[in-house]
């Protein structure tokens, strides 16, 4: 398993947490998603079937700004 950390700008509520968690879980090979609302950090544990670029793309497609 691989772990990818991404910082998302402007997380405002638990709705954002749920949306991010759900959209990432739609990707293949996702084992775990943790979103820290206070820091804007998204931690994703995944198999080699998905890469960081794939995760970043789905978040950007949802309208999130990444750091």
């Amino acid at each position: 398993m691989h772990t990818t950390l991404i910082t998302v700008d402007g997380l405002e509520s638990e709705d954002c947490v749920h949306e991010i968690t759900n959209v990432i879980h739609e990707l293949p090979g996702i084992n775990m998603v943790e979103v820290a609302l206070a820091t804007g950090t998204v931690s994703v544990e995944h198999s080699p079937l998905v890469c960081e670029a794939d995760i970043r793309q789905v978040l950007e497609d949802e309208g999130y700004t990444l750091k």
Side-chain angles (χ1 to χ4, degrees):
M1 285 290 171
H2 299 277
T3 301
T4 297
L5 296 173
I6 298 172
T7 302
V8 180
D9 196 28
L11 292 184
E12 299 174 355
S13 68
E14 286 296 321
D15 289 338
C16 294
V17 173
H18 294 296
E19 182 177 41
I20 286 172
T21 301
N22 291 339
V23 75
I24 292 175
H25 269 293
E26 290 177 7
L27 292 168
I30 300 297
N31 186 46
M32 182 270 310
V33 178
E34 289 184 356
V35 181
L37 190 59
T39 61
T41 305
V42 179
S43 176
V44 183
E45 187 177 287
H46 55 91
S47 75
L49 293 173
V50 66
C51 65
E52 181 175 347
D54 297 328
I55 299 166
R56 287 180 164 277
Q57 187 62 54
V58 297
L59 292 173
E60 289 173 346
D61 288 349
E62 288 296 315
Y64 291 100
T65 302
L66 309 181
K67 293 184 178 180

